[in-house]
Amino acid sequence: MMIRRDLAPLDGITKTVFRRVWSRFFGGADRCFIPFFSPTPQHILTPRDRRELEPIPGLVQIPQVMTCKAEDFLWAAETVRDLGYEEVNLNLGCPSGTVTAKGKGAGFLARPEELAQFFDLVFARAPLPVSVKTRLGIQSPEEFGRLLEIYNSYPIACLTIHPRVQKQKYRGQVYRDMFAMALAESRNPVCYNGDLRTVEEFSEFRSAFPKVESVMVGRGAVADPALLRKLQGGPAASREELQHFTAALYREYQVFYGQVNPASQRMKEVWFYLIHLFEGGERYGGRMRRSRGPAEYERIEAEIFRDLPLRDHSVGDLI
């Protein structure tokens, strides 16, 4: 059975420049989720959000919305529909403290009755299909039983589950037993997200869950830009290919920002993950994080490509 492969939305990483350049060099995703935007009180699409929502030829994209107010979500859904999108995603998974303190992202999971009221309004009036990306709860995976009851009451286009709770962020146990329960009991299509970083991990997951029809990969696809391509039977990234990719990405960031300093900062964020594809990269990764200015960034990147052997898959904790 073929399985759909989605590129996860990583705020600050998989933004429009990255998606455009990555899809040109590697690709392999059936769909790419655009990192969330939060509706303004005035219901005005900001220039930054509008740039992120621009179509990319040959790439199927799904906008993601972060809010806990039904009217704001409905406005956002109408806005992206008018831009030509055919699905909108609700973010109930972001574990960031600044987000959850506002009751958004995974923070909304702490108020299941309010969430149900939110869905009542959204699914009564949504102008296009609504999908949801969720965690299991706030403190305990046992919270997910009640949440799944709520999800099962609505026609969710796809329920993407990251089987951790908010307090874990991206560390610790992935509760695949809870995912198995959701897979068996969900009345809506289910997608898996969480710690799929190599072809081997993907194969192990497919053996454990042969009925899963879609997966979402995020950090693993930044650490190994060819990962989704490899999941389709394609080749691993070569050193030359990665050099061309990072050079093109750096150039595109400079064009986007009109300055080299923010472009080098964005590249450092990408290398936070990409360094895991190089043997002995930990020391170089630390140097890059501490580097100041474009010249020092460029020098360290050149040393990485010159000095470090390239692995065929990423290694290490992608936090």
Side-chain angles (χ1 to χ4, degrees):
M1 180 181 69
M2 294 296 293
I3 189 168
R4 191 183 69 212
R5 301 163 179 87
D6 294 338
L7 179 68
L10 273 70
D11 187 39
I13 302 289
T14 61
K15 298 176 80 67
T16 185
V17 173
F18 182 93
R19 296 194 305 275
R20 185 169 60 245
V21 177
W22 171 83
S23 64
R24 189 166 75 237
F25 277 86
F26 299 102
D30 297 299
R31 309 187 305 172
C32 292
F33 282 70
I34 300 172
F36 68 82
F37 72 96
S38 295
T40 66
Q42 299 80 18
H43 287 179
I44 297 172
L45 199 62
T46 68
R48 180 179 62 182
D49 292 336
R50 190 174 293 278
R51 286 195 300 267
E52 285 299 312
L53 292 168
E54 289 180 357
I56 297 175
L59 200 62
V60 178
Q61 301 188 109
I62 311 294
Q64 185 180 76
V65 177
M66 174 90 78
T67 185
C68 57
K69 297 179 180 179
E71 292 298 331
D72 287 353
F73 184 87
L74 288 166
W75 169 82
E78 292 170 359
T79 299
V80 300
R81 177 205 56 191
D82 293 345
L83 292 173
Y85 289 100
E86 298 180 353
E87 179 181 325
V88 62
N89 184 261
L90 173 66
N91 184 321
L92 295 177
C94 180
S96 167
T98 56
V99 168
T100 58
K102 299 174 184 177
K104 300 179 182 180
F108 205 172
L109 304 178
R111 309 189 311 279
E113 305 316 314
E114 290 183 32
L115 179 61
Q117 294 170 10
F118 174 96
F119 281 146
D120 284 341
L121 292 172
V122 163
F123 283 99
R125 295 166 47 193
L128 72 176
V130 176
S131 57
V132 173
K133 188 173 188 287
T134 186
R135 287 187 175 238
L136 300 178
I138 301 296
Q139 297 288 334
S140 167
E142 282 67 36
E143 297 169 37
F144 192 64
R146 172 61 182 138
L147 294 171
L148 186 59
E149 289 179 3
I150 294 172
Y151 297 146
N152 278 342
S153 299
Y154 304 93
I156 294 172
C158 183
L159 182 65
T160 298
I161 301 171
H162 183 107
R164 287 187 172 100
V165 294
Q166 181 271 331
K167 71 173 183 178
Q168 291 179 276
K169 295 190 176 179
Y170 296 98
R171 295 184 180 275
Q173 179 182 355
V174 176
Y175 293 95
R176 287 191 175 177
D177 57 333
M178 299 302 294
F179 178 79
M181 180 270 286
L183 188 62
E185 299 183 11
S186 176
R187 297 176 184 172
N188 299 300
V190 170
C191 175
Y192 177 84
N193 169 242
D195 290 9
L196 294 180
R197 299 161 295 190
T198 67
V199 173
E200 290 72 22
E201 288 177 346
F202 177 79
S203 297
E204 181 272 329
F205 175 80
R206 286 301 308 276
S207 296
F209 298 97
K211 294 184 179 180
V212 171
E213 297 180 353
S214 59
V215 296
M216 179 180 280
V217 180
R219 292 167 293 149
V222 182
D224 179 359
L227 176 59
L228 287 168
R229 183 176 73 185
K230 291 192 293 185
L231 296 183
Q232 293 182 325
S238 68
R239 181 183 300 272
E240 182 180 26
E241 191 176 25
L242 286 169
Q243 284 181 294
H244 288 314
F245 167 66
T246 57
L249 189 58
Y250 192 27
R251 286 195 303 271
E252 291 285 344
Y253 278 138
Q254 291 178 55
V255 171
F256 183 80
Y257 291 109
Q259 303 178 56
V260 68
N261 282 334
S264 64
Q265 184 60 40
R266 284 297 185 198
M267 290 303 300
K268 287 166 61 175
E269 293 168 355
V270 172
W271 272 102
F272 177 81
Y273 296 97
L274 186 58
I275 197 65
H276 295 272
L277 200 56
F278 292 82
E279 291 185 20
E282 294 76 13
R283 181 166 59 88
Y284 288 76
R287 287 176 54 204
M288 183 171 285
R289 289 194 297 275
R290 295 188 296 272
S291 67
R292 295 178 178 273
E296 189 174 1
Y297 157 73
E298 294 165 12
R299 182 171 61 252
I300 296 170
E301 183 186 87
E303 291 177 10
I304 291 169
F305 281 119
R306 184 193 67 202
D307 298 341
L308 300 184
L310 181 65
R311 299 176 170 125
D312 63 1
H313 63 275
S314 64
V315 173
D317 199 5
L318 306 181
I319 301 300

